[in-house]
Amino acid sequence: MGKKLTINDIAKMAGVSRQTISRVLNNKEEVSEGTRKQVLRIIEEHGFQPSLQARSMVTRKTNTIALLLPDIKNPFFAEIVYGIERTLRANNMNLFLFTTDEDVEHEVSCIKLAQNYNVDGMILCSPRLDDANLRKMITKISPIVLLNRDLEAEGVSSVMVDAKQGGYTAAKYLIEQGHSRIGIIVGPPLASSSAKRLDGYKKALQEYGISIDEDLIVSVEVGDEGVHKLTQQLIRRNVTAITTYNDISAAYVIQACRDLNVEVPDDISVVGFDGIVLSQVMTPSLTTMALPLFEIGDTIANILLRMIKGSDGIERLTTVYPLLKEGNSTKSISLSY
Amino acid sequence: MGKKLTINDIAKMAGVSRQTISRVLNNKEEVSEGTRKQVLRIIEEHGFQPSLQARSMVTRKTNTIALLLPDIKNPFFAEIVYGIERTLRANNMNLFLFTTDEDVEHEVSCIKLAQNYNVDGMILCSPRLDDANLRKMITKISPIVLLNRDLEAEGVSSVMVDAKQGGYTAAKYLIEQGHSRIGIIVGPPLASSSAKRLDGYKKALQEYGISIDEDLIVSVEVGDEGVHKLTQQLIRRNVTAITTYNDISAAYVIQACRDLNVEVPDDISVVGFDGIVLSQVMTPSLTTMALPLFEIGDTIANILLRMIKGSDGIERLTTVYPLLKEGNSTKSISLSY
DNA sequence: TTGTATGCGTTATCAT
DNA sequence: ATGATAACGCATACAA
């Protein structure tokens, strides 16, 4: 662990001032080819690398972004992170990852921490923090992009999934496949998208003149617990299809069906939400409202990069639409047989 | 975006020197209760937060760790990252995330970048970089923990999964369930664990006096492509069980079986590897060689933290053993019926 | 084209 | 208990 070289050491070795080294490092034009080559050689030879801390002290830029999300294990987030990471890296930005575990206090401390590191921007995924407090925390800092949350504030932009349209499309698809008794499992109450998906569901049913049976609307309390029981309830109520709030819960629904000797898709059709890898690799493959997760990440990163650059005309709100992706978990109910 | 306050601003407001502010910030004892309270009040009032850049310039500690991994989308890594993150956060360490995409050049530049940020330590997951170059790169830096790679070097510790034992246990389990024609799908050649898993498989067969049929040993070239075809081959060769290199590929095997009208587990038993969430939520649930992914992350983080602290007696190599987890994808072949 | 002086925000050292 | 001064490694402004 030899002591780390500084720009001064290199300057001495090269017999020039440290300014010249700095110029070479930053590709400034005002350096003669001779000294530039010479300096580069020495830098290369000794494997010198400038301290980004020191640099950022004077440039006021750290080239870092903080990413806060509740749970990196969740493929929904992991796949988005991948998109974010790729785009940021391509733009020489690096990522601080903060996992907040859906915990408000964690969120607060992570946001502060990120500020202390003087990140150039932040990406906040579903913070539990209420609007007022969030607004207070982010007054004096860098640009922010919010995922699935809308907050009208200076330096804040949002990327949101159109959950209502997703709920609508899923229900509509099932209806057009001949289903009319369609159960819906609504996600945890904390997820703001839950209500919207339900709205979409209701809209579709109404549009097709199907009366809404409140007994077919069930919700999980927390996490994915209870999906098994809810599935059982819905089956007892003679649904022919179930639409769920994400792919994982859809997978649980299918497990429950198997346990109850109900065949998917023969007896019951199941539609998921998100389109994570799981939906493709499971058997039967899942019909789901797929989100372009990588692209969402890419979009988030690009918006943030533009905000950092100070570009104008940046959309305050970007909406992402889920797309129906047919798998083998749904089946058309032929009425003529 | 009001200008950021510095320690000097606070000092002026409080009518003391910035040294005193620094002392309060760092909970030094040598400050009278009066001024401490006063200073804290002003800090609180103005929401002052010290610059960690500036601090780390002088303390030579950044409280950051760099984590390099090929693919955050892969639940295997995502779940480990969760463990790493939790443990680091609990120790006031923050995470730089670098996704390398299995690309050597990316790895090199990410390692350099991490060094430039003066991270206090690094965690490297399966870098493609060869031993010699890896050794060269890490000479003058902070402690490193390697996942699934062994490199004897100063300041380097490794955490490895015992793939051979995993391969052995999976095969042994199937044998004891009455299977003798057991196919094995070996992972991409780049994964060093592939050969070891195969070793374990062979060991189990030999132990039970089952001759090794090379036709039942097939490998994928790259990624998870071709698993479908390989499954088909194995089925044609009349296997009654297939063991695979990870859970995702096992899921593909099950899909292929379904496509070929082969029932799992009735006609064929399937064993996965890793024990990611997928293995539990799919139908049938997967029998798999489960790894304690969260604990692996926790272990990695703890070792690194101890190295940073300069503790001694740190193990150079930690081995993690996969554990058989029975799901519904395997079935005992009753010989008496 | 190159060098000198200054400052970024903090902690460490040595005073008082 | 508190303050003055220097230092961390770099880039910027200005001078030569």
Side-chain angles (χ1 to χ4, degrees), chain B residues 5-287:
Chain B
L5 291 175
T6 77
I7 206 173
N8 280 315
D9 300 322
I10 304 296
K12 270 180 206 153
M13 296 177 190
V16 296
S17 80
R18 65 172 170 227
Q19 217 28 252
T20 304
I21 310 298
S22 175
R23 288 183 181 112
V24 172
L25 247 30
N26 294 286
N27 286 316
K28 302 280 186 193
E29 287 305 323
E30 332 126 303
V31 175
S32 75
E33 272 318 296
T35 48
R36 158 166 277 129
K37 286 234 167 92
Q38 155 85 341
V39 167
L40 282 176
R41 216 203 60 229
I42 298 190
I43 287 179
E44 176 70 18
E45 200 170 289
H46 295 82
F48 165 75
Q49 296 174 234
S51 157
L52 297 184
Q53 256 91 38
R55 174 176 292 172
S56 72
M57 289 264 336
V58 27
T59 61
R60 326 295 290 164
K61 287 276 167 203
T62 55
N63 284 345
T64 57
I65 296 295
L67 171 59
L68 265 76
L69 41 81
D71 179 13
I72 187 73
K73 293 192 313 303
N74 186 331
F76 172 78
F77 289 115
E79 294 183 30
I80 289 177
V81 171
Y82 181 65
I84 292 175
E85 222 277 338
R86 290 303 302 274
T87 301
L88 289 185
R89 169 92 353 103
N91 287 273
N92 293 313
M93 283 291 189
N94 299 295
L95 206 57
F96 267 116
L97 179 67
F98 295 95
T99 303
T100 57
D101 256 328
E102 306 271 7
D103 179 297
V104 175
E105 282 185 44
H106 264 80
E107 277 180 12
V108 171
S109 69
C110 288
I111 293 179
K112 282 187 182 170
L113 219 38
Q115 290 178 281
N116 295 359
Y117 275 110
N118 295 314
V119 296
D120 295 339
M122 294 186 57
I123 298 170
L124 268 39
C125 291
S126 66
R128 288 268 167 273
L129 213 54
D130 59 273
D131 272 23
N133 276 311
L134 180 56
R135 206 180 284 275
K136 196 184 299 170
M137 293 222 50
I138 63 181
T139 44
K140 48 183 165 185
I141 50 167
S142 25
I144 293 183
V145 177
L146 261 28
L147 173 60
N148 272 349
R149 171 162 190 166
D150 190 12
L151 185 77
E152 190 158 349
E154 169 95 19
V156 176
S157 190
S158 297
V159 173
M160 302 196 62
V161 170
D162 190 334
K164 179 169 180 181
Q165 186 258 342
Y168 171 79
T169 307
K172 181 177 172 183
Y173 172 75
L174 289 169
I175 295 168
E176 290 181 343
Q177 298 286 307
H179 298 273
S180 55
R181 286 194 68 74
I182 302 170
I184 180 169
I185 299 183
V186 180
L190 281 168
S192 73
S193 53
S194 291
K196 295 185 191 154
R197 274 192 55 252
L198 184 56
D199 283 350
Y201 164 90
K202 287 182 176 170
K203 182 182 163 203
L205 265 62
Q206 280 161 353
E207 211 167 287
Y208 282 81
I210 299 173
S211 66
I212 286 159
D213 182 347
E214 293 290 339
D215 279 352
L216 304 190
I217 302 171
V218 297
S219 12
V220 304
E221 301 308 320
V222 55
D224 292 319
E225 290 165 36
V227 170
H228 196 283
K229 221 177 73 186
L230 295 176
T231 304
Q232 201 166 355
Q233 282 178 22
L234 290 174
I235 290 175
R236 274 207 216 94
R237 292 168 190 166
N238 296 314
V239 299
T240 62
I242 296 177
T243 163
T244 69
Y245 59 98
N246 67 17
D247 291 340
I248 308 260
S249 58
Y252 279 121
V253 167
I254 291 177
Q255 272 196 346
C257 288
R258 159 79 64 113
D259 290 348
L260 300 164
N261 282 317
V262 171
E263 286 291 321
V264 175
D266 291 344
D267 300 328
I268 281 202
S269 289
V270 177
V271 178
F273 207 104
D274 287 349
I276 61 178
V277 172
L278 164 70
S279 68
Q280 304 163 38
V281 305
M282 58 188 280
T283 305
S285 62
L286 202 56
T287 295

Side-chain angles (χ1 to χ4, degrees), chain A residues 34-286:
Chain A
T35 46
R36 159 167 277 129
K37 288 236 167 91
Q38 155 84 342
V39 168
L40 282 176
R41 215 203 60 227
I42 297 189
I43 287 179
E44 175 71 18
E45 200 170 289
H46 294 82
F48 166 74
Q49 296 173 234
S51 156
L52 297 184
Q53 254 92 39
R55 176 176 291 173
S56 73
M57 290 268 333
V58 26
T59 61
R60 325 297 290 167
K61 288 276 166 202
T62 54
N63 284 344
T64 56
I65 297 294
L67 171 60
L68 265 76
L69 39 81
D71 179 12
I72 187 72
K73 292 193 313 302
N74 186 330
F76 172 78
F77 290 116
E79 294 182 29
I80 289 178
V81 171
Y82 181 64
I84 292 175
E85 221 277 338
R86 291 301 302 273
T87 301
L88 288 184
R89 169 90 354 102
N91 287 273
N92 293 315
M93 283 292 190
N94 299 294
L95 205 57
F96 267 116
L97 179 67
F98 294 95
T99 303
T100 57
D101 257 326
E102 307 271 8
D103 180 296
V104 175
E105 282 186 44
H106 265 80
E107 278 180 12
V108 171
S109 68
C110 288
I111 293 178
K112 282 187 182 171
L113 219 36
Q115 290 177 280
N116 295 1
Y117 275 111
N118 296 315
V119 296
D120 296 339
M122 293 185 55
I123 298 170
L124 267 39
C125 291
S126 67
R128 289 267 166 275
L129 213 52
D130 59 275
D131 272 23
N133 275 312
L134 180 56
R135 206 180 284 276
K136 197 184 298 171
M137 293 222 50
I138 62 182
T139 43
K140 46 184 167 187
I141 51 166
S142 26
I144 293 183
V145 176
L146 261 28
L147 174 60
N148 272 348
R149 170 162 192 165
D150 191 12
L151 184 77
E152 190 157 350
E154 170 92 20
V156 176
S157 190
S158 297
V159 173
M160 301 195 64
V161 170
D162 191 334
K164 179 169 180 180
Q165 187 257 343
Y168 171 79
T169 307
K172 181 177 171 181
Y173 171 76
L174 289 169
I175 295 169
E176 290 181 343
Q177 298 285 307
H179 297 274
S180 56
R181 286 194 68 74
I182 303 170
I184 179 169
I185 298 183
V186 180
L190 280 167
S192 72
S193 53
S194 291
K196 294 184 190 155
R197 275 192 55 251
L198 184 56
D199 283 349
Y201 163 90
K202 287 182 176 170
K203 182 182 161 201
L205 265 61
Q206 280 161 355
E207 212 169 285
Y208 283 81
I210 299 173
S211 66
I212 288 161
D213 182 347
E214 294 290 339
D215 279 353
L216 304 190
I217 301 171
V218 298
S219 11
V220 304
E221 300 311 318
V222 56
D224 292 320
E225 292 165 33
V227 170
H228 196 284
K229 221 177 71 185
L230 295 177
T231 304
Q232 203 166 352
Q233 283 179 21
L234 290 175
I235 290 176
R236 274 207 216 94
R237 292 167 190 166
N238 295 314
V239 300
T240 62
I242 296 176
T243 162
T244 69
Y245 59 97
N246 67 16
D247 291 341
I248 307 260
S249 58
Y252 280 121
V253 167
I254 291 177
Q255 271 196 347
C257 288
R258 158 79 63 115
D259 290 348
L260 299 164
N261 282 317
V262 171
E263 287 290 321
V264 175
D266 291 343
D267 301 328
I268 281 204
S269 289
V270 177
V271 178
F273 208 104
D274 287 349
I276 60 179
V277 171
L278 164 70
S279 68
Q280 303 163 39
V281 306
M282 59 188 278
T283 305
S285 62
L286 202 56

